[in-house]
Amino acid sequence: MGPGVVVTGLTLGALAVVSLLAFQANGAQDRAGGPKPVVSASATGGPASAAPSATPTPTAPTLPASSGTGLRVVYSVSGHYVWLIDPKKNPQVAATFPVTPGSVEPTPGSYSVYSRTASGTGTDHKAIEHVVRFAQQNGVVFGFSAAVDGSTPTVDPTGKTGGIRSSRQDAQLLWDFATNGVKVVVVA
């Protein structure tokens, strides 16, 4: 066996080990059970540490002062914006993006994510994904989602559409951030 064969064997072995370690590291956060890191436009519209959200918001409103504390999702009923807040990060606003509400809005207050569904059908009969539910009021279920076809909610003849839609990319950010039990603060 010549030195070329030995060098080739060592190189292939090293590449296999590096590939295995990269594969294991890629799924480490999923196995840890914590929220995945997210990056999007900041509350002032400037870029975070990486690429901006699917819907850059150069004039995103400032996080409402009455938005609570701790790890949370903030939804503004009047502004139709969502903020993902992680006080352990710098900046604390992990993402912010516009949303389109349904025909009924949730009452301002503090809630918790109680149910998540990867895909389903909205009250407007559209295929939806990344459904994150946080409240039920007067027979209406409130939650965030994205329509697979990118559409916004259509008027429900019963007047009871509580789905809050975002772009598919922003819905993915919210899905990764808002696991069961994460606080959702609805502000006026």
Side-chain angles (χ1 to χ4, degrees), residues 1-162:
M1 197 164 34
V5 172
V6 172
V7 170
T8 300
L10 290 173
T11 301
L12 289 175
L15 286 173
V17 169
V18 169
S19 296
L20 175 64
L21 291 174
F23 175 78
Q24 288 176 332
N26 189 35
Q29 183 138 9
D30 292 338
R31 291 187 303 275
K36 296 176 187 167
V38 295
V39 289
S40 185
S42 70
T44 60
S49 59
S53 159
T55 51
T57 53
T59 58
T62 303
L63 177 68
S66 60
S67 70
T69 61
L71 183 74
R72 66 201 183 279
V73 174
V74 177
Y75 170 55
S76 169
V77 170
S78 62
H80 301 129
Y81 264 84
V82 167
W83 293 263
L84 307 180
I85 309 298
D86 186 347
K88 294 180 181 176
K89 303 282 181 161
N90 187 11
Q92 291 185 11
V93 178
T96 184
F97 47 86
V99 293
T100 303
S103 57
V104 180
E105 293 276 19
T107 303
S110 184
Y111 306 91
S112 292
V113 173
Y114 70 86
S115 172
R116 293 164 32 100
T117 305
S119 62
T121 303
T123 55
D124 59 358
H125 308 290
K126 299 280 186 175
I128 58 175
E129 62 185 358
H130 302 116
V131 183
V132 177
R133 295 175 198 87
F134 64 89
Q136 294 182 42
Q137 298 167 352
N138 301 319
V140 179
V141 175
F142 293 97
F144 303 103
S145 66
V148 174
D149 68 3
S151 65
T152 57
T154 54
V155 176
D156 182 341
T158 65
K160 295 190 176 198
T161 304

